Amino acid sequence: MKKWFLNWGWIAVYAVVLAISVLIIAGAGHEPIEEKQAEKVTITFRHFWIKEHDRQMLNIVEDVVAQFQETHPNVKVNFEGMDQTVHREQKLKSEMVTGTPPDMFVLFGGAEIEPYVRSNRLMDLTDFLEGNGLKEQFQDLHLWTFDNHIYGLPIEGNAEPLFYNKEIFDDLGLEPPETLEDLNKVIDVLIAHGITPFALGNEERWPAAIFAHYLMDRYAGPGLINELVQGDESLSFQNPSYWKAFKQLKSWIDENAFYPPANDLSTEEAIERFTNGEAAMYLNGSWDINLFHNERAPAGFQNQVGVIPFPSLTEGGNRSIAGGYTIGIGLSSNLEESKWEAAQELLKSLYTEEVQRRIVYEASRIPSMKITYDSEKTGPVFAQVVEMMEQSNQSFVPYDNVLPPEVNKTFLKVLEEMIRKRVKPEEALEQIQHTSEQYWQLRRSSLLSETDGGAGW
């Protein structure tokens, strides 16, 4: 009995040793796979949703990023916010020159990204879209498409209507203006009653451009700007139509039609003037709708807001709406394979029907993808914006998205100077034209350099 027990004891010990040896060998044999599965990937993702009116968008994307990291434990997303102007005009431009942009970033489609595309700094997403069946799910990709290739994806759509306080208008017996003449009469009545016509917060410089591009569109029509931004040397910003547009803007500035000091007010501060009844109208984007019913706005204020297109030059004339699918996400073209694979997965998490519905219901933003949603749940202002867009068969891309970046910089600067009453309309247009000529001279030299084998940034 003792001998039998000892034999089985040695057999048990031998089995344990053998099992451990097998595990060690197996572990050694599969080490490359385990290391690959555990490989850590870090993606940098920069956004500019740092203002109060972007809080809901930030919350939505933060949720998506957090859920993505839970389901992809080997991926870390460094999600950082930056002031929009600093990101667009300073940081990203310099990073694109040096080839060191973040892995993912929020940006504007159209003219702003064209230099990045030409310099091969943006990832081509065409195959990604087609491979995942996403291409036909977007409302409009033309601002992100160059030479039939797609270099970014819009995350939301927008429109730039004229919001007005229906209660103030009713109290003063005013009708929503349909023409610029009507609007000028409304402005006169409002000023006579001590009410500022427009709440304008031009701290970021682009809000004043909304007034300018609407007036330029109304006086000149939609065709002129499209030819100017293509570098047509036979045309000039110094033309009679644009002079009339800038002269009209100057008359509003001289009449104090904008809440002072417009250049120093933020978007949030301007909207407070509107929601508190200190200003009767607000011209800006549909992205601001959520501030009409936040904790700072009077209860029920959103029910007092009317939404109309910017007035036409004459009765029955052009009332096209500025807007489009301009805000989106792009990727750096120099992503290594592991980052590119992770970024694709994150993109698929961001561009879903569920996320788009949250953008509609929670952020009051127009969806960039073809989805269905319940209009009863969107609130009265959003519903009016959508109805206005559906009734309009004309739209144009905001000028700050079609002007070449350097020309747009001058465009915004001269508008700031006009509001400060330092520049006259003819001087403002002269400066824009001068910058445009310089830009196209450099652009043609750059194209020639590329033809001759140069880099051509």
Side-chain angles (χ1 to χ4, degrees):
M1 283 294 290
K2 189 175 181 181
K3 185 177 180 181
W4 175 87
F5 175 79
L6 288 172
N7 287 341
W8 276 103
W10 280 110
I11 292 171
V13 171
Y14 177 78
V16 171
V17 172
L18 179 63
I20 292 172
S21 300
V22 170
L23 286 173
I24 292 172
I25 294 170
H30 288 80
E31 187 174 357
I33 295 176
E34 289 179 357
E35 283 185 358
K36 184 176 181 180
Q37 290 175 341
E39 182 182 359
K40 296 295 183 181
V41 178
T42 299
I43 297 176
T44 54
F45 185 172
R46 184 189 298 154
H47 65 88
F48 47 65
W49 295 308
I50 63 173
K51 301 290 186 178
E52 177 65 20
H53 66 280
D54 285 323
R55 185 175 60 183
Q56 289 84 355
M57 278 297 297
L58 177 61
N59 291 342
I60 292 167
V61 180
E62 280 182 334
D63 286 349
V64 173
V65 169
Q67 292 169 13
F68 172 80
Q69 290 185 127
E70 286 183 9
T71 56
H72 298 75
N74 64 312
V75 181
K76 179 183 179 182
V77 181
N78 287 336
F79 191 56
E80 61 170 4
M82 181 178 289
D83 177 79
Q84 181 183 145
T85 302
V86 173
H87 167 65
R88 292 172 66 186
E89 299 298 330
Q90 301 172 28
K91 191 71 172 174
L92 189 60
K93 284 183 178 180
S94 63
E95 290 168 337
M96 286 297 188
V97 171
T98 58
T100 57
D103 301 319
M104 300 178 67
F105 37 89
V106 179
L107 74 170
F108 283 71
E112 187 166 315
I113 67 171
E114 185 179 359
Y116 307 155
V117 173
R118 287 191 286 106
S119 301
N120 299 315
R121 298 300 197 200
L122 286 178
M123 181 71 76
D124 185 343
L125 301 178
T126 310
D127 290 343
F128 163 77
L129 285 171
E130 293 176 348
N132 291 282
L134 289 172
K135 186 175 181 181
E136 302 304 319
Q137 294 187 33
F138 284 89
Q139 298 279 8
D140 187 353
L141 290 171
H142 89 273
L143 290 176
W144 305 89
T145 304
F146 297 86
D147 295 329
N148 296 316
H149 288 263
I150 300 163
Y151 294 91
L153 301 177
I155 192 72
E156 63 174 275
N158 58 76
E160 296 177 353
L162 180 60
F163 303 102
Y164 69 98
N165 188 317
K166 293 189 289 186
E167 189 172 286
I168 291 176
F169 271 59
D170 289 343
D171 288 346
L172 298 178
L174 297 171
E175 294 291 332
E178 293 188 6
T179 67
L180 285 176
E181 183 180 357
D182 295 338
L183 181 55
N184 283 324
K185 290 178 180 177
V186 166
I187 289 172
D188 290 341
V189 172
L190 291 169
I191 291 174
H193 285 82
I195 300 171
T196 302
F198 298 110
L200 170 62
N202 199 45
E203 182 183 63
E204 296 182 87
R205 301 302 177 246
W206 56 264
I210 301 176
F211 287 88
H213 70 212
Y214 266 125
L215 289 170
M216 294 164 78
D217 175 78
R218 296 310 190 245
Y219 278 100
L224 181 55
I225 191 67
N226 294 329
E227 296 179 64
L228 283 167
V229 299
Q230 294 301 319
D232 190 329
E233 294 181 273
S234 67
L235 301 172
S236 170
F237 285 91
Q238 294 173 276
N239 62 76
S241 296
Y242 283 177
W243 181 80
K244 290 177 183 176
F246 274 52
K247 184 180 178 183
Q248 174 64 84
L249 180 60
K250 181 180 184 299
S251 71
W252 290 343
I253 294 168
D254 291 341
E255 294 170 8
N256 297 317
F258 301 108
Y259 202 100
N263 280 330
D264 301 323
L265 291 181
S266 67
T267 293
E268 291 77 16
E269 290 170 327
I271 289 176
E272 280 190 42
R273 271 60 172 183
F274 179 57
T275 58
N276 290 334
E278 298 173 54
M281 294 177 286
Y282 179 69
L283 180 68
N284 211 305
S286 53
W287 51 78
D288 286 333
I289 290 174
N290 52 56
L291 295 185
F292 297 162
H293 55 87
N294 68 357
E295 62 275 6
R296 296 184 181 180
F301 177 77
Q302 61 178 330
N303 297 311
Q304 298 177 24
V305 179
V307 178
I308 59 172
F310 191 83
S312 60
L313 183 60
T314 57
E315 189 172 347
N318 169 29
R319 299 187 83 188
S320 58
I321 300 165
Y325 299 90
T326 56
I327 303 173
I329 296 173
L331 276 65
S332 169
S333 62
N334 61 4
L335 294 182
E336 57 191 52
E337 185 178 356
S338 59
K339 286 191 175 187
W340 170 223
E341 290 175 357
Q344 290 180 76
E345 293 300 310
L346 181 51
L347 282 179
K348 286 191 284 187
S349 298
L350 284 165
Y351 290 94
T352 67
E353 289 191 17
E354 178 187 358
V355 172
Q356 286 283 296
R357 287 196 183 94
R358 287 192 66 186
I359 287 173
V360 172
Y361 295 138
E362 298 175 31
S364 298
R365 307 291 174 96
I366 298 167
S368 64
M369 300 177 74
K370 299 172 183 176
I371 64 165
T372 58
Y373 58 89
D374 186 351
S375 59
E376 297 294 324
K377 298 179 181 179
T378 60
V381 183
F382 184 89
Q384 287 182 80
V385 171
V386 173
E387 182 181 6
M388 178 192 69
M389 294 179 70
E390 290 175 347
Q391 291 177 351
S392 174
N393 58 4
Q394 293 178 304
S395 65
F396 67 91
V397 179
Y399 285 15
D400 58 341
N401 290 124
V402 297
L403 288 172
E406 291 306 313
V407 181
N408 185 56
K409 186 176 180 180
T410 299
F411 180 56
L412 301 186
K413 187 169 190 320
V414 297
L415 292 173
E416 173 202 349
E417 293 296 305
M418 282 185 66
I419 290 172
R420 295 191 191 279
K421 301 181 180 181
R422 295 175 180 172
V423 172
K424 297 177 181 178
E426 56 271 23
E427 295 170 334
L429 291 170
E430 181 182 5
Q431 289 184 40
I432 297 170
Q433 177 60 26
H434 178 67
T435 303
S436 180
E437 290 173 357
Q438 286 186 318
Y439 169 81
W440 284 107
Q441 287 173 4
L442 289 171
R443 174 73 185 275
R444 293 183 182 100
S445 297
S446 175
L447 291 173
L448 182 61
S449 175
E450 288 181 35
T451 304
D452 293 338
W457 167 256

